[in-house]
Amino acid sequence: MIPMVDLKSELELMKEPILNAIKEVVESTSYILGDKGATLEKQIAEYVDAKYGIGVANGTDALLLSLKALGIGAGDEVITTPFTFFASGEVIANVDATPVFVDIDPNTYNIDPQEVKKAVTPKTKAIMIVHIFGQTAKMDSLLEIAKENNLKVIEDACQAIGTEYKGKRIGSIGDIGCFSFFPSKNLGAFGDAGMIVTNSKELYDKVIELRNHGSNIKYNHTTLGFNSRLDEIQAAILLEKLKYLDIFLEARKKIATNYSRELSDIVKTPPIYTTREHTFHQYSIETPYRNELSNYLQQKQISTAIYYPTPLHLQEAFKYLNYQNGKFPVAEFSSENILALPIGPTLTEDHQGYIISCIRDFFDIKINSTSE
Ligand SMILES: *Cc1c(COP(=O)(O)O)cnc(C)c1O
C-alpha cells in the first residue's frame, strides 16, 4: 500500500543523528525547558523571520494560548474558516468566545476576505487565518480588513511552515502565528509539539507565562495559565529534522508539479499563484467521482484521504451555533468533492507515475462506460 505520508522512509534518512540527539537529552537529565527547546525556539523564529518563538505542547495549545494572550474570551467573536481541522474552531469556543465561520475561496480553500468583511460586528476581536494544506490566504486583503476594524490576526500556520507570501514567511505576518509539529505535519516530532511565533514583546511575555502555569518566576503566579511546554526530547528531534525541512518542501513542490502537469485535464488541481506560495502539506484534487475514485485507488494499493469530510459549521459540537446545511456552499461542495493524494517528500518517481496512471485509468474506464 502506498501511504499518504511515509514516515518510515523519512526516518531512515536521519535515524542516526536523531537517536544520538535523543540519547544526549536522556543522559543530560534536563527534560523540560532546557537548552534544546530554547535553541529550537530561536531557530524556528529565525526560519519564519519572527522576533520570538515560544515552544508549546502542540498546535492546538499554540492557538489556545494565542487567543488567551490576546485577551479574547466571553462575549468576543473570532472570524475563521469552516474548512479546517476541528482545532481551529474548537479553541475559540474553549476560551468562551464565539467562532464566526465564513465561506472560503473555491480554489485555495482559504478564508475569503470579502466574506470576512461582511461578518465583522462590534463584537469581533480577531480573525483566525488558516493556511490550509500549505497554501497562504490573501494576506494583504485580510490585514487591511483587520486594520480597518481594529482586529487582531492569528495565523493558524499548523500546515504551512516555510510557505511564503510575497516573499515573507507566513506565521510572522499577523500578530501571532501558530505551528504544529504533530508527526505527520511537514515538520513533525515523534509525539506532540507546537510553537507560537510573534514580533510583539508583550505577547511573547504573556505566552511565556501562560504555557507555564501563569508563572515566570518559580512559585510566583501572576495569572491563570496552563501546563503546555515543548519537551527537550521533542525539541532535540525537531532540531535534527529542521535541517531537512527545505529539502522536503522542495520535494513536495516537485511532486505537486508532476501531479498537476499529468492530471489537470481530468480533475481540478490546486492552482499556484506567483504571490502566494504552496508547500503542499496536502495535495488535494477535486472530482465529482471522488468516492468512486478513492475506492478504485484503494484497490490499486494507493492510500487517499479526505480533508475535511464535514465542515466545522456542520459538526455536532457546534450545533449550538445554529448554522444550517447550505450556509457555506463552497466549503460544503469542497468537502464533498475533495481528495488528497499521497505526497510525502520520499514518494518515488515510480510511485508518482503509478498513482497518475491509475487515476488516468479510472477516468478512461469511466468515459468508456458512459459513452455507450
Ligand atoms: C494539525 C492542526 C492543528 C492542531 O495541531 P496539533 O498539534 O495536532 O494540536 C490545528 N490547526 C490545523 C489547521 C492543523 O492542521
Side-chain angles (χ1 to χ4, degrees):
M1 199 77 189
I2 301 176
M4 283 297 291
V5 55
D6 187 358
L7 293 181
K8 235 179 198 153
S9 64
E10 283 180 37
L11 177 63
E12 286 310 318
L13 295 173
M14 48 183 120
K15 199 165 170 179
E16 275 309 303
I18 286 182
L19 290 177
N20 288 337
I22 293 173
K23 187 163 178 265
E24 198 187 312
V25 174
V26 169
E27 288 171 351
S28 79
T29 68
S30 167
Y31 302 132
I32 285 178
L33 297 181
D35 292 345
K36 296 282 187 193
T39 306
L40 182 71
E41 287 171 343
K42 218 171 133 228
Q43 289 194 10
I44 296 288
E46 250 166 47
Y47 186 80
V48 304
D49 205 15
K51 275 203 184 117
Y52 308 101
I54 311 113
V56 293
N58 52 65
T60 307
D61 275 10
L63 295 167
L64 183 76
L65 270 54
S66 295
L67 290 166
K68 283 279 184 193
L70 290 166
I72 291 164
D76 298 335
E77 293 177 356
V78 178
I79 299 172
T80 194
T81 166
F83 197 77
T84 178
F85 178 59
F86 187 66
S88 317
E90 182 183 35
V91 289
I92 298 170
N94 272 340
V95 298
D96 295 327
T98 306
V100 174
F101 299 118
V102 298
D103 214 349
I104 55 169
D105 176 309
N107 294 314
T108 64
Y109 310 107
N110 276 316
I111 199 164
D112 180 344
Q114 292 312 314
E115 298 300 317
V116 173
K117 216 172 198 167
K118 285 190 248 165
V120 176
T121 77
K123 289 182 176 172
T124 312
K125 286 286 150 56
I127 309 172
M128 183 187 289
I129 299 167
V130 184
H131 304 289
I132 204 77
F133 302 152
Q135 188 166 46
T136 61
K138 281 184 183 159
M139 291 305 286
D140 279 351
S141 310
L142 291 164
L143 290 174
E144 198 180 302
I145 296 165
K147 201 170 166 197
E148 275 169 11
N149 297 282
N150 201 18
L151 310 176
K152 298 296 181 189
V153 172
I154 302 158
E155 290 182 73
D156 178 343
C158 287
Q159 300 188 2
I161 192 162
T163 299
E164 289 181 6
Y165 174 80
K166 297 189 175 171
K168 255 181 87 65
R169 291 253 160 92
I170 55 102
S172 61
I173 298 175
D175 292 285
I176 198 159
C178 301
F179 294 98
S180 164
F181 306 124
F182 185 80
S184 62
K185 295 286 157 81
N186 285 8
L187 175 62
F190 292 179
D192 279 310
M195 180 86 58
I196 290 174
V197 297
T198 182
N199 288 314
S200 155
K201 174 79 166 68
E202 190 192 336
L203 289 175
Y204 169 76
D205 288 341
K206 283 186 180 162
V207 174
I208 285 287
E209 290 193 351
L210 282 168
R211 74 164 172 185
N212 196 24
H213 301 290
S215 169
N216 202 1
I217 301 160
K218 215 168 188 182
Y219 304 122
N220 184 21
H221 303 267
T222 50
T223 185
L224 297 176
F226 301 85
N227 175 355
S228 184
R229 296 160 311 216
L230 193 166
D231 69 70
E232 289 293 281
I233 287 184
Q234 298 306 335
I237 293 162
L238 287 164
L239 281 169
E240 290 304 321
K241 289 191 78 177
L242 185 56
K243 295 173 187 165
Y244 287 82
L245 181 58
D246 285 335
I247 301 166
F248 280 5
L249 294 184
E250 280 312 310
R252 285 176 181 275
K253 286 185 228 176
K254 204 169 155 218
I255 296 166
T257 306
N258 190 24
Y259 276 152
S260 292
R261 190 183 55 240
E262 302 297 328
L263 296 172
S264 59
D265 59 324
I266 45 175
V267 295
K268 183 176 166 187
T269 54
I272 314 292
Y273 303 94
T274 50
T275 54
R276 290 192 280 157
E277 222 198 353
H278 201 326
T279 47
F280 296 100
H281 176 57
Q282 300 300 344
Y283 182 95
S284 290
I285 58 170
E286 258 185 56
T287 166
Y289 309 109
R290 190 266 309 272
N291 292 344
E292 272 175 81
L293 175 60
S294 149
N295 288 338
Y296 180 84
L297 294 176
Q298 173 83 22
Q299 284 164 26
K300 299 286 173 187
Q301 304 297 309
I302 299 167
S303 306
T304 57
I306 297 168
Y307 306 111
Y308 292 89
T310 308
L312 266 49
H313 67 290
L314 300 177
Q315 292 285 352
E316 196 178 337
F318 286 131
K319 223 174 178 170
Y320 71 97
L321 295 170
N322 284 320
Y323 287 103
Q324 307 300 320
N325 205 345
K327 176 75 180 171
F328 303 122
V330 181
E332 290 164 25
F333 180 88
S334 304
S335 288
E336 285 157 16
N337 291 274
I338 206 159
L339 189 68
L341 304 181
I343 191 160
T346 55
L347 187 70
T348 63
E349 280 181 18
D350 278 357
H351 278 171
Q352 293 167 48
Y354 175 68
I355 293 164
I356 289 162
S357 74
C358 286
I359 294 173
R360 297 207 68 94
D361 286 350
F362 169 83
F363 281 95
D364 281 346
I365 297 163
K366 190 97 210 140
I367 289 160
N368 287 336
S369 69
T370 50
S371 61
E372 286 173 25

